Amino acid sequence: MMAQSNTKARPNIVWIMLEDWGLDLGCYGTPGIETPVTDKLASEGIRYTNAFCTSPVCSTSRSAMLTGYHQNYIGAQQHRTAKEDKNPLPYDIEPMPVLLKEAGYFTALMIYNKTDANFSGDLGFMGKDWKERKKGQPFFAQITLGGTHRAWNRDPKNPIDPAKVELPPYYADTPFARRDWANGLEQMQVCDREIGGILKRLDKEGLAENTLIFLIGDNGRCHIRGKQFLYDPGLQVPMIIKWPGKVAPAQVNTDMVQTIDITATILDVTGAKPRHELQGKNLFQEESKNREYIFAARGRMGGTHDAMRTIRSKKYKLIHNLMPERAWLQYSGYKEDMYPMLAEMNIMYMEGKLNENQAKFFAPTKPEFELFDIEKDPYELNNLANDLHYGDVKDKLLEELYVWRKSIKDEGVSQEFREGGLSSKYPTKTLEEWKERYETWKPWVFREPKSKVKHPFVKKNY
């Protein structure tokens, strides 16, 4: 699908980002949640079932989406790079909003003023609302809904019964865990109504018929084994596209796609011209179809040093842990201050009460390689990396992963980085300290929908 040549005919672009949210929506079959607005949006366009971000945390993932290039390629791979350490984009790359502005679009950053770029320079946003544009000017609006970022608000209009939710098998199935999971789903229900408000405004202002809408998560879900890690819950995001008259309704697309493909699509559709070829591909062109692999990387998370790379096909995933000597759950202030389940499961782990699948993630070290048959093992629990029957699969994926790493100029892990960062001591707390934290969490997790209970650990800039 090509861009319109007539400026007035070019579509408006509304890109809605949910913070830290995966496939936990009604249209993706999640039990317990009701998201009628999002479900209807999906029925009016394309719902992608194999969409992945390039990194499992906001700043690195968003840096890639702002440009259309993998975060390592542009030097933006370390989460929340300090202002004094940020560098300009290399290779004459310009952020997408800058290119859109040059192409005649009004660019707006709306609702939640978050860009989180790990690079310096003008990002190209011109205002805070599309109403600021000139008469007849097409607009691009990036709208972030911050509610799904922890800490979460409960939904007073439609509370969720924790008995109706379904937990992945690597979580302890307890009343505490179920309530925490249900609380997150309730927050998404609140965001679903906020999405409804955006869509109603487009209708009211007569803009809906000429507006291309994208809805995604900026990275995967904020639970254990999700955000910050390269398992599917950390990388897989919802992707829904609606474009009246251009995109047929009721489509379900199983292509392997990535969030930087949205960037490439927007630039093509609007006629904006990047300086050189993007690493994302136009979702409306053949170049994005029949992709064999997607790739992703994880680097530093705040002060927590770790490094992982992954390659995934529809059937297999290989994760290369470049720092296997460190525990998955080495100290991270974000996880320990924002994940109630982490406290309960640490207690159960230290008391020997977790089953094999639940306990794996609490091990003091990681294997260098993890290989999963996604079709047979969708929860990524059975590591086949040392199984000789899968030797050829591992070798092929590793070869392709190295080719990709070279193409994005991946610098790997220096000795300084390996030895740096916060303490990697594990466990990070004693059993008594975890018990104390668990008791502190309880009033928050079990609060009523309209309760005034304050979050016990919430901090800014997580």
Side-chain angles (χ1 to χ4, degrees):
M1 187 175 299
M2 301 303 291
Q4 302 285 344
S5 58
N6 185 336
T7 300
K8 291 184 179 179
R10 288 187 295 174
N12 306 307
I13 312 290
V14 170
W15 187 349
I16 303 171
M17 284 200 208
L18 297 165
E19 287 269 358
D20 302 345
W21 205 253
L23 303 187
D24 297 315
L25 298 162
C27 57
Y28 283 96
T30 299
I33 193 171
E34 294 180 10
T35 51
V37 173
T38 307
D39 299 352
K40 184 174 184 292
L41 184 68
S43 74
E44 294 170 338
I46 309 172
R47 174 172 62 87
Y48 288 82
T49 60
N50 283 308
F52 300 85
C53 58
T54 61
S55 180
V57 74
C58 51
S59 72
T60 48
S61 176
R62 285 170 174 270
S63 295
M65 288 187 281
L66 272 167
T67 61
Y69 302 91
H70 284 274
Q71 62 278 357
N72 296 71
Y73 185 72
I74 58 174
Q77 69 271 23
Q78 306 300 3
H79 174 49
R80 193 114 331 126
T81 302
K83 183 177 181 179
E84 60 272 17
D85 294 330
K86 292 182 179 181
N87 294 312
L89 287 167
Y91 319 121
D92 296 320
I93 291 171
E94 294 281 7
M96 178 180 62
V98 170
L99 299 175
L100 291 173
K101 184 168 62 171
E102 291 175 355
Y105 272 71
F106 180 83
T107 58
L109 184 65
M110 296 177 60
I111 298 184
Y112 184 28
N113 188 24
K114 180 175 183 178
T115 55
D116 227 357
N118 290 329
F119 52 84
S120 61
D122 177 25
L123 298 182
F125 290 105
M126 303 164 67
K128 296 183 178 180
D129 196 290
W130 67 65
K131 68 182 180 182
E132 301 169 36
R133 74 193 189 282
K134 298 176 183 177
K135 185 177 179 179
Q137 185 179 17
F139 66 85
F140 165 76
Q142 186 174 103
I143 304 174
T144 295
L145 300 183
T148 46
H149 192 294
R150 294 274 191 170
W152 297 333
N153 293 308
R154 291 205 56 187
D155 183 2
K157 293 185 178 181
N158 189 17
I160 294 174
D161 180 355
K164 294 182 179 179
V165 306
E166 183 178 300
L167 293 176
Y170 41 76
Y171 295 147
D173 193 346
T174 67
F176 184 83
R178 283 181 168 272
R179 184 67 266 168
D180 183 52
W181 185 272
N183 291 348
L185 299 184
E186 286 189 20
Q187 173 64 74
M188 182 57 230
Q189 291 181 164
V190 174
C191 284
D192 187 66
R193 295 194 287 272
E194 293 176 354
I195 294 168
I198 297 167
L199 301 180
K200 285 180 182 178
R201 180 181 169 188
L202 289 170
D203 281 331
K204 184 178 180 180
E205 296 181 12
L207 299 169
E209 291 304 307
N210 191 37
T211 297
L212 169 56
I213 298 171
F214 297 90
L215 174 68
I216 65 163
D218 64 347
N219 51 255
R221 69 163 71 115
C222 43
H223 276 288
I224 300 169
R225 279 180 60 112
K227 180 181 177 180
Q228 296 197 358
F229 296 99
L230 299 185
Y231 302 112
D232 277 6
L235 295 173
Q236 196 165 16
V237 294
M239 183 184 288
I240 296 170
I241 299 176
K242 177 185 176 182
W243 193 4
K246 299 290 186 178
V247 170
Q251 295 186 62
V252 178
N253 188 302
T254 63
D255 292 338
M256 300 283 289
V257 298
Q258 298 212 252
T259 48
I260 56 175
D261 295 335
I262 298 178
T263 315
T265 305
I266 291 172
L267 292 176
D268 276 359
V269 163
T270 59
K273 302 296 183 184
R275 303 292 188 262
H276 63 98
E277 185 179 0
L278 301 175
Q279 291 171 343
K281 304 299 180 184
N282 187 333
L283 292 163
F284 300 139
Q285 300 289 351
E286 287 300 314
E287 60 185 1
S288 69
K289 303 181 187 304
N290 303 314
R291 182 187 273 136
E292 190 170 2
Y293 306 112
I294 62 94
F295 301 90
R298 176 245 160 103
R300 176 178 57 74
M301 299 286 168
T304 305
H305 283 208
D306 211 336
M308 305 164 184
R309 309 289 186 263
T310 192
I311 175 174
R312 188 197 192 281
S313 67
K314 286 186 176 179
K315 183 170 177 56
Y316 294 109
K317 174 189 277 185
L318 179 71
I319 298 174
H320 189 181
N321 292 309
L322 303 182
M323 298 173 68
E325 69 277 8
R326 296 199 174 206
W328 284 288
L329 293 176
Q330 63 170 311
Y331 180 77
S332 162
Y334 167 76
K335 290 198 298 293
E336 297 198 4
D337 288 350
M338 302 301 276
Y339 290 4
M341 271 196 261
L342 190 60
E344 183 182 45
M345 288 187 68
N346 262 292
I347 294 168
M348 296 176 73
Y349 174 73
M350 296 171 83
E351 291 181 340
K353 295 179 179 178
L354 296 180
N355 65 33
E356 181 182 359
N357 286 333
Q358 294 162 357
K360 285 178 180 177
F361 200 59
F362 290 77
T365 59
K366 304 185 289 289
E368 182 179 4
F369 295 103
E370 297 175 81
L371 175 64
F372 302 106
D373 184 331
I374 300 293
E375 291 180 351
K376 295 179 179 178
D377 178 26
Y379 291 109
E380 300 165 276
L381 292 169
N382 183 23
N383 183 7
L384 304 169
N386 295 323
D387 188 325
L388 295 180
H389 291 95
Y390 292 87
D392 290 345
V393 173
K394 178 184 174 183
D395 289 346
K396 173 63 174 174
L397 291 177
L398 189 57
E399 178 184 359
E400 295 287 347
L401 184 61
Y402 282 143
V403 169
W404 173 73
R405 289 182 62 188
K406 184 177 180 180
S407 75
I408 64 164
K409 303 184 184 298
D410 185 357
E411 297 176 353
V413 178
S414 68
Q415 193 60 32
E416 180 184 12
F417 185 86
R418 189 177 299 277
E419 295 173 355
L422 299 174
S423 171
S424 60
K425 178 179 176 292
Y426 186 83
T428 63
K429 290 178 171 56
T430 66
L431 177 59
E432 290 306 313
E433 287 171 333
W434 278 120
K435 286 182 176 180
E436 180 180 351
R437 179 156 286 223
Y438 171 67
E439 293 299 326
T440 304
W441 272 119
K442 275 185 176 179
W444 173 258
V445 171
F446 288 107
R447 72 196 186 280
E448 293 300 317
K450 294 183 179 181
S451 169
K452 300 297 183 182
V453 174
K454 292 184 178 181
H455 190 284
F457 305 108
V458 70
K459 297 177 182 178
K460 295 181 179 179
N461 297 323
Y462 276 147

